[in-house]
Amino acid sequence: AQSVTQLDSHVSVSEGTPVLLRCNYSSSYSPSLFWYVQHPNKGLQLLLKYTSAATLVKGINGFEAEFKKSETSFHLTKPSAHMSDAAEYFCVVKGYQKVTFGTGTKLQVIP
Amino acid sequence: EAGVVQSPRYKIIEKKQPVAFWCNPISGHNTLYWYLQNLGQGPELLIRYENEEAVDDSQLPKDRFSAERLKGVDSTLKIQPAELGDSAVYLCASSLQQGNYNEQFFGPGTRLTVL
């Protein structure tokens, strides 16, 4: 069985403050984990991926995520939010021949 | 290098009409996915192809949906007849041969409105 839970449907932060988007997963296999971003009326874009090489993964636009096996978590963070970060973010788990998307977290950045 | 191409970008039809979506994946990508994304939700897999073979179509409503990937490159997704509940964004994605570490590259999607 495989599932992914994004714990917050909406997150609101002020510009320049840290961002934390939470993701928990379950998988019967050693999964790969991904974060994608979707801006309005745009396609999904890969932010970063975990493939077991390193538990702290750095992605594009200053985002990073830490894989914590003991907590089955893969939370996405950024030290300082920018207005252009406002979008929807999806956590994805990929196990043996199966891909599962979370329900998404909408990030609002307040000027 | 061109990304995943989808057409049309938008489609408005009346219920009970047929509709088709087309996808051209990134060159060299053997794996092709069709997803359905409802407003405010994550994408849900409809069908996955490895080359020309549909290897996972368990979530495809086969009474009205069909798909093909002739020659293992382009793909078409069809709905006949369309229902009001089919209004959604249909996403196509491709990746290198199926493997845990290969990320998917997504097209811009086709937004379908059924009236």
Side-chain angles (χ1 to χ4, degrees), chain A residues 3-5 11-12 16 23 28 38 47 68 70 77 84-85 102 108 111:
Chain A
S3 67
V4 58
T5 303
V11 170
S12 183
C23 172
S28 302
Q38 188 175 35
L47 276 178
K68 293 186 177 180
S70 60
T77 61
S84 62
D85 295 328
Q108 180 185 22

Side-chain angles (χ1 to χ4, degrees), chain B:
Chain B
E1 178 183 312
V4 176
V5 179
Q6 289 188 250
S7 69
R9 290 293 311 277
Y10 304 91
K11 188 74 175 179
I12 301 174
I13 60 171
E14 294 188 346
K15 63 180 180 181
K16 301 185 181 179
Q17 293 300 305
V19 65
F21 314 123
W22 175 80
C23 173
N24 181 243
I26 292 173
S27 178
H29 282 192
N30 299 322
T31 307
L32 184 146
Y33 309 77
W34 282 104
Y35 288 90
L36 178 154
Q37 185 176 23
N38 286 304
L39 188 64
Q41 298 183 24
E44 299 169 28
L45 181 69
L46 289 172
I47 189 168
R48 173 169 65 89
Y49 281 93
E50 293 291 339
N51 298 303
E52 65 273 14
E53 183 182 359
V55 296
D56 184 357
D57 63 355
S58 57
Q59 301 303 312
L60 188 72
K62 298 181 183 65
D63 57 334
R64 297 185 299 107
F65 286 65
S66 64
E68 61 182 13
R69 191 184 184 196
L70 301 176
K71 301 181 180 179
V73 181
D74 295 4
S75 178
T76 303
L77 178 70
K78 298 178 182 178
I79 308 175
Q80 182 170 11
E83 297 179 352
L84 294 176
D86 296 331
S87 295
V89 176
Y90 292 82
L91 297 169
C92 179
S94 70
S95 69
L96 293 170
Q97 193 164 1
Q98 171 69 2
N100 269 10
Y101 300 157
N102 292 327
E103 69 263 32
Q104 298 170 72
F105 294 82
F106 284 83
T110 297
R111 184 177 297 275
L112 174 67
T113 302
V114 182
L115 302 176

Side-chain angles (χ1 to χ4, degrees), chain A residues 2 6 14 16 21 23 31-32 40 45 48 59 66 77 91 106 110:
Chain A
Q2 179 173 288
Q6 292 186 242
S14 297
L21 305 183
C23 172
S32 293
Q45 180 186 16
L48 49 81
E66 186 171 9
T77 61
C91 182
K106 186 162 287 187
I110 302 167

Side-chain angles (χ1 to χ4, degrees), chain A residues 1-107:
Chain A
Q2 179 173 288
S3 67
V4 58
T5 303
Q6 292 186 242
L7 295 154
D8 307 292
S9 59
H10 289 83
V11 170
S12 183
V13 301
S14 297
E15 189 176 17
T17 64
V19 175
L20 169 64
L21 305 183
R22 299 182 294 166
C23 172
N24 285 99
Y25 72 93
S26 70
S27 177
S28 302
Y29 306 93
S30 296
S32 293
L33 295 154
F34 305 79
W35 277 98
Y36 283 84
V37 61
Q38 188 175 35
H39 287 93
N41 299 314
K42 296 286 182 66
L44 286 149
Q45 180 186 16
L46 180 70
L47 276 178
L48 49 81
K49 65 179 180 180
Y50 165 75
T51 59
S52 79
T55 56
L56 183 61
V57 181
K58 294 188 183 299
I60 62 171
N61 300 334
F63 284 94
E64 62 182 38
E66 186 171 9
F67 174 73
K68 293 186 177 180
K69 187 174 181 179
S70 60
E71 299 176 10
T72 61
S73 69
F74 190 57
H75 301 335
L76 182 70
T77 61
K78 182 173 180 177
S80 176
H82 191 272
M83 294 300 296
S84 62
D85 295 328
E88 187 144 26
Y89 293 78
F90 293 94
C91 182
V92 181
V93 60
K94 193 175 184 186
Y96 180 67
Q97 296 184 347
K98 188 169 174 61
V99 179
T100 304
F101 277 75
T103 51
T105 298
K106 186 162 287 187
L107 176 64

